[in-house]
Amino acid sequence: MHKLLPASLALALSYPVGAMADTSSDVRALQKEMKVMRADYEARLKALEQRVKAAEAAAAPAATRAASAADAPTAAGAAGPTAATAAPVAGAPSWSTATVAAPTAAPVAAPAAASVAAPVAAASGGGASSFNPALSLILSGGYTRTSRDPADYRITGFPLPPGAEIGPGTRGFSLGETELGFSASVDPWFRGAANISVAADNSVSIEEAFVETTALGKGFSLKGGRFFSGVGYLNPQHSHTWDFIDAPLAYQAMLGTQYGDDGVQLKWIAPIDHYVELGLEMGRGLTFPGSDKDSNGAGMYALTVHTGGDIGISNTWRAGISMLNAKASAQELLWTDAVGLPVASLFTGNSRVWVLDGVWKWAPNGNATRTNFKLQGEYLRSERSGSMVTAIDGTGVPSPYGVTQSGWYLQGVYQFMPNWRVGLRTERLDPGTPSFGLDTGLVGSNYRPSKNSVMIDYNPSEFSRIRLQFAQDRARDGKPDNQISLQYQMSLGAHGAHSY
């Protein structure tokens, strides 16, 4: 019994020592395994860093192209857009561009091979985006109530071609213009864009379809195809960006609502702190005040000069002067005779339209998200000279014809709280005194058309707008036309930055 007790004590004391020896061995094994894992992790991390650098280097040309195309639309992400402010053009007012939608960031969870292949493909021009241009769809429509029939809408003293898109449109419920847009970079030197318009009567037209340079440098850019002319302030903008439902009377009477043409446009932005932009256009002369003709020469040319800048941190401005010269050949115009009956005539000659435009914007400390104010005005002067034929059956004798007409509008839009705006516009036309060399049976008018409009709109987001507008339209000599319009506008897909 006495021998068994020391042996038991020795055995009990030796067990923890053995266990400690086994535990120490396990710890060393774990430490060794952790070292192997750490070395493997560091190697993988270094490889990923090298791949990120390679991807950034491959993506640099695409970023350069995007920066050079100041007005290139930004695609909205499928997972839900976030707000990102577009950078203004050098020398332009600091808050001149609108907020655009940018895609939300997605977590990096793709395999390592895919993370390298995608940027390389994009840099070579063969990536998925090469075959998937940015798409946009503008939906609009509403309800219009007028006190006079829109079917016989005229602007007294201003003869226009048959079917001119003027006036308030159809009464009652109607679908407005639906606009489908495409845009994408072609390669490091060009980008392309197209806008297809579907009218309420189901007619389809191509508003714009052009290619534009992105890397000429020295402030130059060249555009070719079909596009809205850069004359004035309102003309280059698509109608869904206008602050009122319709174009001013001066635009309707002297530019056929909005002047677009097939041709080329060269622009130059001066590389100085102050914003200065010069533009030159040459085109076919497709639409009023010109008319399409079969010849090798240009039927239209235009010159534009715009400048602007900041006044402190809360005010910005832009002003400009433009000149558009268009030729017409046997252009059919609708007049009224001495008793007010419609008379058709053919005009051949030259039209020159001058446009003075100015815009001033105010936002406290340059932040326009909560409240802001915009004052905008333009003055248009049209000079037409040539010959007129009143008997369009071929028996008429050309008579010398000339007239100088003018018009202006002034409007202010105030955002008094987030998402809500109110606006007021007043406008007037002067038809001038037409000169006829022979007794054509046509008469001028001393009546000066005018119009006053007030609107209020609610913008739940930058992609949607609901607008109510009331106007007293005195374009026709006689009883005024009281017009009430309710309009909705919805933007789907890519949403490019708006111009100043």
Side-chain angles (χ1 to χ4, degrees), residues 75-164:
T82 57
T85 303
V89 178
S94 58
W95 50 281
S96 61
T97 52
T99 302
V100 299
T104 54
V108 179
S115 65
V116 178
V120 172
S124 63
S129 62
S130 302
F131 305 97
N132 293 281
L135 300 179
S136 66
L137 180 64
I138 307 297
L139 302 176
S140 66
Y143 175 83
T144 300
R145 178 185 178 88
T146 65
S147 59
R148 298 191 66 180
D149 188 359
D152 62 358
Y153 189 87
R154 299 286 186 273
I155 303 178
T156 301
F158 290 83
L160 292 169

Side-chain angles (χ1 to χ4, degrees), residues 333-411:
L333 301 175
L334 293 180
W335 289 77
T336 54
D337 59 16
V339 295
L341 297 176
V343 177
S345 63
L346 298 179
F347 170 72
T348 299
N350 189 73
S351 297
R352 179 167 295 178
V353 182
W354 295 87
V355 186
L356 297 175
D357 65 270
V359 182
W360 170 65
K361 295 183 179 182
W362 167 85
N365 298 316
N367 182 7
T369 56
R370 180 170 183 82
T371 181
N372 63 79
F373 178 73
K374 176 183 177 182
L375 183 65
Q376 168 187 332
E378 295 186 73
Y379 171 81
L380 284 75
R381 179 183 175 90
S382 172
E383 302 168 354
R384 309 203 83 187
S385 61
S387 62
M388 186 78 71
V389 177
T390 54
I392 62 175
D393 58 0
T395 62
V397 177
S399 170
Y401 167 75
V403 67
T404 298
Q405 302 173 316
S406 62
W408 58 268
Y409 75 91
L410 182 67
Q411 68 183 50

Side-chain angles (χ1 to χ4, degrees), residues 101-469:
T104 54
V108 179
S115 65
V116 178
V120 172
S124 63
S129 62
S130 302
F131 305 97
N132 293 281
L135 300 179
S136 66
L137 180 64
I138 307 297
L139 302 176
S140 66
Y143 175 83
T144 300
R145 178 185 178 88
T146 65
S147 59
R148 298 191 66 180
D149 188 359
D152 62 358
Y153 189 87
R154 299 286 186 273
I155 303 178
T156 301
F158 290 83
L160 292 169
E165 296 181 359
I166 59 175
T170 7
R171 279 172 164 172
F173 291 100
S174 65
L175 181 67
E177 181 184 72
T178 300
E179 183 180 299
L180 180 62
F182 306 82
S183 64
S185 294
V186 179
D187 51 34
W189 301 278
F190 296 97
R191 63 176 290 266
N195 290 90
I196 300 173
S197 172
V198 182
D201 61 358
N202 296 327
S203 61
V204 180
S205 63
I206 299 178
E207 284 191 339
E208 293 191 293
F210 60 83
V211 293
E212 185 177 26
T213 63
T214 59
L216 281 185
K218 305 295 184 182
F220 286 95
S221 65
L222 183 64
K223 179 189 294 186
R226 177 173 297 179
F227 50 87
F228 290 132
S229 173
V231 298
Y233 176 75
L234 204 61
N235 193 81
Q237 304 177 25
H238 286 262
S239 58
H240 69 269
T241 67
W242 295 350
D243 293 317
F244 288 79
I245 293 176
D246 50 355
L249 290 177
Y251 267 76
Q252 297 184 42
M254 285 174 268
L255 291 176
T257 299
Q258 192 169 20
Y259 187 81
D261 205 354
D262 296 351
V264 294
Q265 178 191 74
L266 178 66
K267 282 188 175 181
W268 177 70
I269 297 178
I272 57 178
D273 292 338
H274 189 74
Y275 174 69
V276 176
E277 181 187 72
L278 307 180
L280 170 64
E281 301 173 10
M282 297 183 67
R284 186 180 182 92
L286 279 172
T287 57
F288 183 85
S291 67
D292 194 12
K293 60 189 184 66
D294 184 16
S295 66
N296 293 322
M300 179 278 294
Y301 67 88
L303 301 172
T304 61
V305 180
H306 286 101
T307 183
D310 295 336
I311 303 176
I313 61 174
S314 300
N315 299 275
T316 65
W317 65 277
R318 200 197 84 158
I321 181 172
S322 309
M323 187 276 294
L324 182 145
N325 193 89
K327 299 177 181 179
S329 178
Q331 180 183 66
E332 185 175 355
L333 301 175
L334 293 180
W335 289 77
T336 54
D337 59 16
V339 295
L341 297 176
V343 177
S345 63
L346 298 179
F347 170 72
T348 299
N350 189 73
S351 297
R352 179 167 295 178
V353 182
W354 295 87
V355 186
L356 297 175
D357 65 270
V359 182
W360 170 65
K361 295 183 179 182
W362 167 85
N365 298 316
N367 182 7
T369 56
R370 180 170 183 82
T371 181
N372 63 79
F373 178 73
K374 176 183 177 182
L375 183 65
Q376 168 187 332
E378 295 186 73
Y379 171 81
L380 284 75
R381 179 183 175 90
S382 172
E383 302 168 354
R384 309 203 83 187
S385 61
S387 62
M388 186 78 71
V389 177
T390 54
I392 62 175
D393 58 0
T395 62
V397 177
S399 170
Y401 167 75
V403 67
T404 298
Q405 302 173 316
S406 62
W408 58 268
Y409 75 91
L410 182 67
Q411 68 183 50
V413 177
Y414 176 55
Q415 180 176 307
F416 55 92
M417 61 184 298
N419 309 117
W420 286 92
R421 305 188 311 160
V422 63
L424 177 66
R425 183 172 74 190
T426 183
E427 48 191 309
R428 183 177 291 271
L429 298 178
D430 182 355
T433 303
S435 171
F436 301 101
L438 300 176
D439 184 10
T440 59
L442 304 178
V443 294
S445 173
N446 295 323
Y447 179 73
R448 296 192 173 189
S450 63
K451 185 178 179 181
N452 294 308
S453 307
V454 61
M455 75 85 184
I456 183 169
D457 62 26
Y458 172 61
N459 303 268
S461 72
E462 60 180 310
F463 302 99
S464 57
R465 171 177 292 164
I466 300 172
R467 177 160 45 200
L468 177 65
Q469 179 173 310

